[in-house]
Structures are given as structure tokens and as C-alpha cells.
Amino acid sequence: MIKNDHPAPDVRRPFPSPQERRVYRAPLGATRVVREPSRDPGIVVLSATGEFDMDTVPCLHEALADARHAGAQQTVLDISQVGFGGSSFLHELLAAHFSHRRLILVGPIPHQLRRLFVLTGTLRLFHIIRSRRSIGLA
């Protein structure tokens, strides 16, 4: 009989409390999504940084899925520090738009992302604000 010294991995980690900070990282590079502490348990605040393509977008997927599973009334995603977003990035944003109660994108929106939204006709779907201050999140 072979003894396994490693316990089975936890498939679903518990979602952190609204006061906890959590970092979702891509396996390679500096791409990440940070869940920031929120005073309001109904609001999940995420900040995305880096370049999001097919290989790096899983960290965004996981962060958005955790926000949805936590039952957030609002998911606020700051994309002002995203250097590149490909079709897989857009796919995640569209999925979140349709599956979250309310998704708010915070900018200013980088030129490349604005162009992606315009070329695909998706710009009008997203609720975009210029800064966190406009919704009371400084």
C-alpha cells in the first residue's frame, strides 16, 4: 500500500471576508488581480494589473467567480492598470456582466481596452466610471 503524505487539495477555498485582502496571480509574469478590503460586505472591489490573455486570464476568472459566489451586490473592477486585454479577457468581462448582480468597471480605461470594446461593440454593455471616488471608494 502506498502512503500519501500530502492531503487532497482543497478544490474550493472559502471566500475571504470583506475585510481581507487576497491576491490572485497568473502562473507566470506580473499579471494579477487583487481583492481589496471593503467596508461594505455587499461590494467586492478588485484591481487588475498586467496583460490578460489566454494564459493569464484564469486569475481574473477566479477572482470574479469568488465575487459571484460570495453573492456580491456590486463587483467593482479597476482595469486602469491593464496593459493588454485579449479576447479571453473580454470573454471574462462579458461573463461577469451577465452573471453578476452589478459589474462596474473603473478607469480611466486604457486605450487598447477602449479600442477592444469599441471594435467588438461591447462598450455600451459596461457600466464604466472614471474613478473610484465617484462611487465612494477612494
Side-chain angles (χ1 to χ4, degrees):
M1 181 167 146
I2 299 173
K3 183 178 177 186
N4 185 355
D5 291 332
H6 302 289
D10 182 15
V11 176
R12 195 82 207 131
R13 291 184 301 271
F15 192 73
S17 75
Q19 293 77 28
E20 269 185 80
R21 182 176 191 268
R22 181 165 179 197
V23 179
Y24 302 83
R25 295 186 189 280
L28 299 172
T31 300
R32 69 184 182 280
V33 178
V34 177
R35 178 174 187 227
E36 301 173 11
S38 173
R39 291 173 288 206
D40 185 336
I43 299 176
V44 172
V45 180
L46 303 170
S47 295
T49 304
E51 298 186 354
F52 290 86
D53 59 18
M54 184 172 56
D55 295 325
T56 58
V57 81
C59 64
L60 176 63
H61 175 83
E62 184 180 2
L64 289 169
D66 281 352
R68 187 179 68 252
H69 292 306
Q73 298 296 314
Q74 256 184 19
T75 303
V76 177
L77 176 61
D78 185 333
I79 58 173
S80 63
Q81 298 301 309
V82 173
F84 172 81
S87 60
S88 53
F89 178 77
L90 179 59
H91 174 80
E92 288 302 326
L93 293 183
L94 289 170
H97 169 74
F98 290 110
S99 65
H100 289 239
R101 292 187 179 154
R102 184 161 193 217
L103 174 67
I104 299 172
L105 301 181
V106 177
I109 305 299
H111 177 72
Q112 186 271 330
L113 292 183
R114 182 170 294 281
R115 184 166 162 75
L116 175 67
F117 296 158
V118 169
L119 288 174
T120 57
T122 56
L123 181 64
R124 64 182 174 74
L125 292 177
F126 298 113
H127 182 99
I128 302 171
I129 59 172
R130 185 146 180 84
S131 76
R132 294 181 196 200
R133 274 184 233 143
S134 59
I135 57 170
L137 300 171

